[in-house]
Amino acid sequence: MARPTMEDVARRAGVSRALVSLVMRESPKVSPQRRAAVLKAAQELGYSPHAMARSLASRTSRVLGVMLSDLHNAFFAEVVDGIDEVARSQGFDLIINTGGRSPARERRALESLLSFRPAGLALLSPVVPMSAIGRAADQTAVALVARSSRLSTVDTVNDDGERGIGLAVDHLVSLGHKRIAHLDGGRGSQAAIRRRGYLAAMARHGLAPRVVASEYTDAAGARAVRELAPDMPTGIVSCNDFNAVGVISALVEAGFRVPRDVSVVGYDNTSLAALRHVSLTTVDQPREEFGRLAAQALLQRVRGERAEPVRHLLRPSLVVRATTAPPGGTPNHS
């Protein structure tokens, strides 16, 4: 059966197509009686206006675009939950695209989202150059999650990554670890900030740092373990939870016991970390709050309530679970 059109609604209601268009665009120029007749006809026919066509016709949009770095990482899903909560409460829908952790792919994803003329864009841990983000901000409201910016046209939501990694190092040191390695996020968003926090924390404790180039994936965590194997540290601070799970899997496969032989700390505190068979000690970022703040920032821009940028910097905390213990000891769940 063909999908009902605006013309079908107009015939059923006995009005012009132009009047139906005005009703669907929520124009105040339509009388209550005619509006009711059109909406009744639309309901009877099962007609639903195409959101994008409606936006283009009215030159307004009820759509927010979201670009995330990696579909496989639960961190992004939890941030999107927060964005969606605020967007839907304000009558906005989401369009989601992914950049696959590649600057070239992210650039194409960004262009694709802009083609829908969204009211605003939330970019989650983007690695695309800031110049491209600036050009996007010239066209619509833009908020970055887990990436910093100095552009006055761009809002940001981050956690204090230096402090967060410092909490992880401090925890391992308090358990008696001295040989602590950091698997970094390579060129990924926030990787440099967390790496700096690790180096500062190790220096504060008078310990020799050991940074291994890695990425925000489980496969990269597993590769890093093979690189560490000839001289395995007793503690590993991963760049995120996904990486940490790859680390644990590779350690177990290689015959190491976690945490008796090697303690592992993640970053993000995603739903993955809290699974009982994972029970990962990790640094908590309030993922849904990130999303809510980003959506609120976008909608403030959309409504013209604010022109100056907002810079949210949230305070991370440590969640201790079963993957950390004193060297050669048993887990401490305190």
Side-chain angles (χ1 to χ4, degrees):
M1 182 177 179
R3 180 178 176 177
T5 65
M6 201 174 287
E7 287 80 3
D8 296 329
V9 175
R11 281 193 295 270
R12 173 66 68 94
V15 299
S16 68
R17 183 189 183 284
L19 185 73
V20 174
S21 177
L22 288 173
V23 172
M24 296 306 162
R25 285 155 47 193
E26 301 179 359
S27 170
K29 298 178 181 179
V30 183
S31 70
Q33 295 80 4
R34 286 193 165 187
R35 185 184 306 280
V38 169
L39 293 176
K40 181 174 183 291
Q43 183 178 21
E44 290 172 352
L45 292 170
Y47 172 78
S48 177
H50 190 286
M52 186 50 57
R54 185 173 62 221
S55 295
L56 292 175
S58 65
R59 296 188 180 276
T60 62
S61 176
R62 305 297 292 179
V63 170
L64 298 179
V66 179
M67 185 179 75
L68 46 88
S69 179
D70 186 356
L71 281 171
H72 301 91
N73 190 338
F75 170 81
F76 297 108
E78 292 167 31
V79 174
V80 171
D81 282 342
I83 296 173
D84 188 59
E85 176 188 324
V86 172
R88 290 191 180 279
S89 72
Q90 301 299 313
F92 284 78
D93 293 314
L94 301 185
I95 299 176
I96 300 175
N97 208 337
T98 179
R101 306 187 311 278
S102 160
R105 281 189 58 186
E106 281 196 2
R107 193 186 297 273
R108 291 193 295 272
L110 192 54
E111 291 171 354
S112 176
L113 287 170
L114 287 170
S115 72
F116 288 93
R117 301 187 188 179
L121 288 176
L123 309 182
L124 315 189
S125 296
V127 295
V128 71
M130 190 56 67
S131 57
I133 294 173
R135 287 192 294 272
D138 290 337
Q139 302 177 56
T140 190
V142 172
L144 302 183
V145 174
R147 181 166 174 181
S148 303
S149 171
R150 295 181 180 178
L151 296 176
S152 63
T153 52
V154 174
D155 301 315
T156 60
V157 184
N158 291 292
D159 82 324
D160 187 342
E162 287 192 50
R163 173 180 170 79
I165 284 290
L167 292 174
V169 172
D170 291 347
H171 170 63
L172 290 175
V173 170
S174 73
L175 293 173
H177 293 272
K178 298 183 183 301
R179 296 189 298 119
I180 303 167
H182 174 48
L183 310 191
D184 74 8
R187 292 178 294 177
S189 176
Q190 300 298 292
I193 293 173
R194 294 177 188 174
R195 186 165 52 244
R196 188 163 65 239
Y198 164 78
L199 294 172
M202 294 294 281
R204 188 170 67 249
H205 291 290
L207 300 175
R210 187 180 180 186
V211 177
V212 178
S214 193
E215 295 177 347
Y216 292 130
T217 67
D218 55 341
R223 286 194 299 270
V225 167
R226 291 191 286 273
E227 184 176 334
L228 288 167
D231 183 23
M232 188 64 69
T234 64
I236 294 176
V237 178
S238 281
C239 52
N240 72 352
D241 291 350
F242 209 21
N243 181 280
V245 168
V247 167
I248 292 169
S249 178
L251 284 170
V252 172
E253 188 175 327
F256 292 95
R257 296 165 298 178
V258 177
R260 178 169 293 182
D261 300 322
V262 185
S263 286
V264 180
V265 183
Y267 205 109
D268 288 342
N269 193 28
T270 58
S271 55
L272 177 67
L275 291 174
R276 187 170 183 179
H277 70 281
V278 177
S279 193
L280 177 67
T281 295
T282 184
V283 178
D284 178 68
Q285 294 191 90
R287 288 86 53 212
E288 291 191 22
E289 182 66 8
F290 279 11
R292 285 190 288 267
L293 290 172
Q296 289 165 5
L298 288 176
L299 295 178
Q300 287 169 357
R301 292 263 192 184
V302 168
R303 294 168 181 149
E305 297 172 358
R306 172 180 51 78
E308 70 281 0
V310 295
R311 304 280 183 248
H312 294 292
L313 187 66
L314 305 187
R315 192 179 180 89
S317 59
L318 186 73
V319 179
V320 178
R321 297 193 179 98
T323 59
T324 51
T330 56
N332 178 1
H333 298 282
S334 62

